[in-house]
Every structure is written in structure tokens, then in C-alpha cells.
Amino acid sequence: MTIRSEVRPDLLPYYEDDCDPKNLAPLWKVLHTFARKEPKSGCEPYIWHYNEIRDTLMKSADLITAEQAERRVLILENPGMRGRYRVTTSLFAGLQLIMPGEIAPAHRHTQAALRFIVEGSGAYTAVDGEKTIMEEGDFVITPSWTWHDHGNPSDSPMVWLDGLDVPLVETLDTTFAEPYGEKSQGNPRPSGDSLARYGSGLLPVDHEQRSPSSPVFNYPYTRTREALETMCKTDEWDPCHGLKLRYVNPDNGDSPMPTIGTFMQLLPKGFETSGYRCSDGTVYSVVEGTGKSIIGDQTFEWGPRDHFVVPCWVPQKHIASEDAVLFSFSDRPAQQKLGLWREDRRNA
Ligand code: GTQ
Ligand code: FE2
């Protein structure tokens, strides 16, 4: 075997010209962009203060109906990724408004969606033939490929946070959708049926798991809040999280939907979490209380109905000036299933 005596880097540009028309590209020019020490996305920390955006959201109701819009939603666009309809690299978030008497027509799609109720009470979402009436702080799921429509028979506007895995599904190129054909689905099952059947620490005796998503589709705030309140009495705080619970699929102990994880945490008045970072970019919705979060080198003050985003691997610290309750969601379960998720409890 002969050893090459000389390489000719000066000829590389000509070589690239040879590659290009053949749809070939040399890895050595780009390897550093994907073999990186740490993640580096365009995702930036940001907060949407509800009192600064509520008027803008309400104005949309004078311009378009829920039915015309199909879904009347203002997208929370991460300022580092404008025009790409995403709040983190893998997730979509938006605030949906539905006015009294309106209906958002039934459809289904492969993207999974969560609703977290921000303002109002008495509107409903119907999922695969069962209606659930929603109250502030309720967490509702519409798993992949389930029919869903929304309606507001109450006499006040209703606003909720939508979280969807749109960018993730787009990356996997698995986007499918279809309209139901009629505005609303029939509702053969009585309201509350799923929660009674699957969400009471019990399961029907011969129940077989049919989907990777939870058979419970409304996790009411009253129950979540009560759990946190009771747990408070034991005074066992995690230094990084205060008191933090994850929502669970009673079928398998996994997250309610396979791609999106959801959490509710309580930070008592005066509590300051120690620095923490994790590989799942996370969206927070403030339910109760006021406080501030230090995300990277920025400080964000928050109160009820504010929404903020913590990008992947950026250090975060939360400080509660009153008892505070925070809802959050991320793509953590997807990362965990793929063996990618990391956290760092020391750093920052
Ligand atoms: O409510 O069905 O924010 O399909 C984006 C897409 C909400 C919904 C969104 C949707 C929906
Ligand atoms: Fe939808």
C-alpha cells in the first residue's frame, strides 16, 4: 500500500464544484455545526404579559369569527424564530379566543394539542364524542387524530393556551388533517364519563390500552390544586422545583400524550429555586401568584395569566413573591423516549 505523500487543500474548491451538481456535499465543512458541545437553537427567553396582549387578542373578535378563522388563535412566536410559528424549536403555542355563542368547527389532525384554560369558564371542547366543560386552570388534551370542536355557550369570552407539537410533526413529515364535515360532533358519551372511568384511581376491569394517549382528557384544576395544597403540609421542597407534579396517563404512567409533557408546580411565598437547566425548551403559564424568573442573564417579572418560555439548556431560577402556581409544557417525553433528554441540577 502506498502512502500519499501530499494532499492538495488548494484543490478543494474545484472538488466542491464537482460534488455540487451531483447533490453531494463534503461533511468536513459542516461537521462542527452538528457535532456541537451543547445545543444552540434560535429559541430565546421571552415573556408575554397578559395585560399587554389581552386587548389585541380581544380585538380579533371584531375582525373574524371563530368559524371563519376555523381557530381564532394568536401564535406566541419566539422572537428568535419569527415567522416560523413556534414558541420553542419543536413546539407551537397560541392563545385561542372563543366568544359567547361561537363554535370552532370539528376537525382532526396528526398533531397533538393541549389546552390550558387561562380566562373564562363554561366553554367546552368535545373530543371523540365527549364534551368537557372547561374552567380556569383545567388541562385538556386532544391527542393525535382525535376529532375535536370547541363551543362557548357561556356569556363571557374564553381564552386558553394551545400547545401543539406542530414543528415536531413537520420535522417528521407526518402531517395529515381532515375536516369533520359538520360543525359539531354528536356527543354520545355524557360529560365527565372519561374522568369517572379512567381518572379516579380506577380502570374498567377489562380495559385494554388502545392508544398511546391518556383516556382521561380533562384534568380539572380543582383536583390538581387540592393535591398541591395537601402536599404543601409536609414541607418537602425540591431545591430546583419547589413542589412539582407531572400529569400522567393512567394507562401506562407516561405523559398524557407521547410527545408533550405537562407539569404543575407550586412555589411557596419567598421560595427561590436553585439554578437548573434541562434539554427541553419549556413554556410556562402562570396560574396564581407573582414572582420573577431569571432565565439566562435576563429577569422576567410575572403574574397570573402571563406566559414565558425557557429555551433548551438555558439556566433558570424562579423566585416567588407570593404563593405561586405554574403550569408548564415541553417535548420532554419525546426526548426521553429517544434517549435524548438531559438535565443539570448543579449548574447556574
Ligand atoms: O383548537 O383545534 O392553536 O387545530 C392550532 C391548531 C388550535 C385547535 C391551534 C388547531 C387548534
Ligand atoms: Fe385542532
Side-chain angles (χ1 to χ4, degrees):
M1 180 171 140
T2 56
I3 307 256
R4 301 282 304 277
S5 58
E6 196 191 359
V7 294
R8 296 285 306 273
D10 56 311
L11 294 180
L12 272 174
Y14 302 101
Y15 177 75
E16 283 159 26
D17 289 346
D18 182 21
C19 288
D20 189 65
K22 297 170 186 158
N23 290 310
L24 298 167
L27 170 66
W28 56 86
K29 289 194 74 178
V30 292
L31 184 58
H32 60 279
T33 65
F34 50 90
R36 253 196 314 265
K37 187 166 165 275
E38 285 181 359
K40 182 173 150 286
S41 75
C43 186
E44 290 174 11
Y46 193 71
I47 188 161
W48 291 265
H49 290 290
Y50 198 65
N51 63 7
E52 290 167 12
I53 60 172
R54 188 181 183 278
D55 283 351
T56 307
L57 181 61
M58 291 300 155
K59 250 185 240 160
S60 67
D62 301 331
L63 307 173
I64 192 165
T65 65
E67 205 177 329
Q68 284 164 345
E70 188 157 344
R71 298 296 185 264
R72 189 170 49 223
V73 175
L74 284 185
I75 304 170
L76 303 181
E77 279 211 306
N78 191 287
M81 299 182 288
R82 289 304 312 275
R84 297 181 65 203
Y85 320 121
R86 60 194 67 194
V87 66
T88 67
T89 309
S90 61
L91 295 172
F92 165 103
L95 290 173
Q96 179 158 177
L97 171 64
I98 181 157
M99 299 299 282
E102 285 190 321
I103 284 181
H107 68 194
R108 65 177 175 179
H109 36 74
T110 47
Q111 295 95 340
L114 69 85
R115 331 279 166 198
F116 184 71
I117 313 312
V118 170
E119 179 184 338
S121 127
Y124 66 83
T125 285
V127 183
D128 273 352
E130 182 181 332
K131 251 184 201 180
T132 184
I133 307 289
M134 303 179 290
E135 308 294 330
E136 284 177 20
D138 287 1
F139 161 60
V140 173
I141 62 169
T142 56
S144 179
W145 212 241
T146 54
W147 295 112
H148 53 285
D149 55 84
H150 318 299
N152 185 356
S154 85
D155 53 14
S156 52
M158 181 128 177
V159 177
W160 63 72
L161 172 69
D162 281 323
L164 286 88
D165 54 8
V166 173
L168 182 64
V169 173
E170 190 178 283
T171 298
L172 300 172
D173 215 358
T174 47
T175 300
F176 297 87
E178 62 183 356
Y180 186 70
E182 290 165 59
K183 270 195 224 171
S184 310
Q185 314 165 52
N187 301 119
R189 279 197 310 276
S191 165
D193 186 73
S194 293
L195 189 62
R197 239 172 248 275
Y198 310 107
S200 309
L202 301 157
L203 289 175
V205 64
D206 290 321
H207 172 69
E208 280 174 27
Q209 198 180 323
R210 267 170 291 142
S211 111
S213 297
S214 173
V216 174
F217 69 99
N218 187 349
Y219 295 74
Y221 188 56
T222 46
R223 290 200 189 177
T224 310
R225 188 68 182 85
E226 196 181 307
L228 289 168
E229 197 58 38
T230 306
M231 289 173 68
C232 269
K233 293 177 190 141
T234 50
D235 228 21
E236 283 166 7
W237 310 102
D238 179 287
C240 295
H241 305 305
L243 190 56
K244 187 168 183 175
L245 301 173
R246 66 180 177 92
Y247 288 89
V248 70
N249 174 351
D251 259 356
N252 57 14
D254 200 347
S255 53
M257 299 186 291
T259 52
I260 308 179
T262 41
F263 310 88
M264 190 71 96
Q265 84 195 89
L266 187 143
L267 303 170
K269 181 181 159 91
F271 195 84
E272 177 170 345
T273 65
S274 55
Y276 176 81
R277 59 182 177 169
C278 53
S279 59
D280 48 324
T282 304
V283 180
Y284 286 84
S285 180
V286 182
V287 192
E288 295 179 29
T290 56
K292 63 182 178 187
S293 296
I294 303 165
I295 309 170
D297 55 12
Q298 298 180 63
T299 301
F300 299 93
E301 309 249 354
W302 42 253
R305 297 175 173 152
D306 290 347
H307 293 87
F308 61 93
V309 55
V310 180
C312 161
W313 215 237
V314 172
Q316 54 180 299
K317 230 178 217 281
H318 308 284
I319 299 140
S321 30
E322 304 165 5
D323 284 358
V325 180
L326 304 175
F327 171 83
S328 58
F329 73 93
S330 76
D331 64 4
R332 182 177 301 186
Q335 292 193 22
Q336 287 174 324
K337 284 181 188 76
L338 300 172
L340 297 169
W341 185 72
R342 293 188 185 205
E343 65 177 343
D344 174 3
R345 294 177 60 97
R346 300 161 291 118
N347 211 311

